[in-house]
Amino acid sequence: MASVLVIDDGELQDIRALLQEFEAEYVHLQGRDIPEEIEDPRTLLVTTARRAVCLRYKRGALRPRPPVRIAVCTGSSKTQRSILKRAGFDYLVRRPVHPAALRLLLLRALYHGKEKRHSTRFAFGQVVTFRMGFRRRKAMLAELSAYGGRLLTRHHLTPGTQLSIQLPREVAGGRPLDLRCSVVRVEQGDREHAEE
């Protein structure tokens, strides 16, 4: 039984590349190599939404912790989301997805230690607008929790700076949402994946 299982028709190269970067051992099933029934991996299952709705699972021994299941698609409907939810998928990732958000989601899915934060952070991966004083700028909100988040930007920020982050209506329940916050920590990162 595999620890991590990736099932696709060649579309999930970026996910396989990240798993290799993390040195995570995984089994990749593609096309005709996909059996009629699969056994759940121990830790993580990543597949395309199209493949996910067709998978049949072997009845195996009950485990104390089921694997994290992620389906990846280019668009989704309510019907598809409800089918995937009933099939036990934890996350539906819609493409395009920011590489930093995908990286965080996979790291979180592979991590089995005790969570040190007071509230769980979720991979968010959406472009947002933030305001410092009167200036509006764009950034990538990579992850978000009830008490914090990670903002990727090319603009210089210093700890203590007050910000207002505007979440777009599409991800905030139909109307824009302003989050008031302050910068706690600044890390130099990969400028390639930050928004202008």
Side-chain angles (χ1 to χ4, degrees), residues 70-120:
I70 300 173
V72 181
C73 66
T74 52
S76 68
S77 64
K78 275 188 174 180
T79 304
Q80 185 183 50
R81 288 193 301 269
S82 69
I83 290 170
L84 291 169
K85 188 174 182 178
R86 281 196 310 271
F89 279 82
D90 303 293
Y91 299 98
L92 175 63
V93 175
R94 280 186 244 158
R95 295 212 188 260
V97 60
H98 195 279
L102 189 58
R103 172 183 288 279
L104 290 168
L105 178 61
L106 290 175
L107 282 172
R108 178 77 179 134
L110 293 169
Y111 178 71
H112 286 293
K114 187 175 179 185
E115 178 60 56
K116 295 177 184 174
R117 292 187 171 109
H118 295 293
S119 65
T120 303

Side-chain angles (χ1 to χ4, degrees), residues 159-176:
T161 302
Q162 300 294 310
L163 300 177
S164 175
I165 299 173
Q166 290 85 38
L167 300 183
R169 69 182 70 232
E170 300 81 40
V171 298
R175 51 184 217 207

Side-chain angles (χ1 to χ4, degrees), residues 4-12 16 26-31 33:
V4 177
L5 181 59
V6 178
I7 300 174
D8 68 356
D9 290 305
E11 309 94 328
L12 303 180
R16 293 194 313 271
Y26 69 94
V27 172
H28 177 221
L29 298 176
Q30 179 176 337
D33 295 336

Side-chain angles (χ1 to χ4, degrees), residues 128-192:
V128 296
T129 303
F130 74 96
R131 202 173 73 229
M132 294 184 302
F134 295 109
R135 301 186 109 176
R136 287 186 184 271
R137 299 196 165 132
K138 294 213 181 257
M140 172 61 60
L141 186 57
E143 59 181 350
L144 184 65
S145 77
Y147 300 103
R150 183 181 305 219
L151 192 67
L152 304 178
T153 180
R154 293 178 184 222
H155 301 287
H156 180 72
L157 300 174
T158 57
T161 302
Q162 300 294 310
L163 300 177
S164 175
I165 299 173
Q166 290 85 38
L167 300 183
R169 69 182 70 232
E170 300 81 40
V171 298
R175 51 184 217 207
L177 177 65
D178 275 359
L179 304 175
R180 299 198 187 282
C181 55
S182 61
V183 177
V184 175
R185 185 173 63 241
V186 176
E187 296 174 3
Q188 288 296 109
D190 182 359
R191 294 179 66 88
E192 176 188 343

